[in-house]
Amino acid sequence: MRDTLYSSDFLDKDVLNLANGDLTGEIDNLLVAENPLRVAALVVDDAACTYSAVADVDQEIIVVSDFETTGTDDLKKLLDRACLDKAGKVLGKIAAFSWKSEGGTVSELILARDGALYGVDAAHIAKIGSGAVVLSASEDVLEKTTYQGADAQEKSSDDDTKAVEDMLQSIVKRVGTTLSGASQMVGERVKNIDTEEINREVNRFTEKIGKELKGMIETFSEQSKSAKYATMESEILSVLRDLENYTVSAPVVDKNNDPIIIPGQLINDTVARRAIENDKIANLYRVAVRITDGENNE
């Protein structure tokens, strides 16, 4: 299991009870306990399952060793709560939060504000009420974050698809307009010019269309490369955040069976990039282990 987990790793996923093999429902929310601030329960339909029962999160479902229910009277919600600084200024709404997988200690709040996401160290939380979370610090503690939840990633993918469709439609429309203009001009002049002149006109317009198409295709190609690069960099940052100071317990190889990483090597930018390019991210997470103090990373 990864060292740091996010609320988006759990929300809207089905829960499988390992004790009997039953699907018990979908996770609607997460509840936290205070002193210390930690994740205490998963809200599944109308029941609360203790977080300590979670056995695996790195799949399409959340696996629990047994669906152990717990009381919720002393537990609090963080998601969708307003977050205020010590002076009462609203800093944003809590869109997500993270915690350490071992022990469930909450480490960071992710606030949505003016279309951007900001991180706040959970150590600044002073009070958790039924209407808002109040910090013990001013808004100066806000920091821009690279966090991108599952919904945001899906939306980004949809936006990229729409951009491609719009570009293709633009190409078709502009080529159609150019062809129509060429046909009209040739038609108007055909009465007064010979066959050789007609051929020259057609060749000129054909060359014009070719140049315009080439320019649009090159623009489209560059935009696609930029979008792909941005997505790749976001994935790399996510992997490095999750697997900081990790190596592997077994080699991970690429599609040609060449090693991407071997035990003892540190998971870095190059390793993450090659793992993504070769669809080996799941393998990397599966064998990732934390490097112990004093271990040689070379």
Side-chain angles (χ1 to χ4, degrees), residues 156-166:
S156 176
S157 177
D158 292 341
D159 290 343
D160 291 342
T161 301
K162 186 177 185 304
V164 171
E165 292 174 350
D166 291 344

Side-chain angles (χ1 to χ4, degrees), residues 250-281:
V252 177
V253 298
D254 61 19
K255 296 176 181 177
N256 297 319
N257 286 323
D258 293 324
I260 295 175
I261 185 173
I262 61 176
Q265 287 184 326
L266 187 68
I267 295 175
N268 56 23
D269 180 282
T270 302
V271 171
R273 188 182 304 276
R274 290 188 62 200
I276 293 170
E277 291 173 346
N278 288 273
D279 296 326
K280 296 293 183 178
I281 282 296

Side-chain angles (χ1 to χ4, degrees), residues 25-37:
E26 191 175 88
I27 299 174
D28 302 316
N29 211 326
L30 295 147
L31 301 177
V32 299
E34 297 180 280
N35 301 319
L37 184 60

Side-chain angles (χ1 to χ4, degrees), residues 223-243:
Q223 291 181 351
S224 297
K225 288 178 182 178
S226 297
K228 183 177 180 181
Y229 175 80
T231 301
M232 170 74 79
E233 293 305 308
S234 176
E235 290 186 45
I236 291 172
L237 285 173
S238 178
V239 172
L240 295 180
R241 180 194 66 210
D242 293 341
L243 303 181

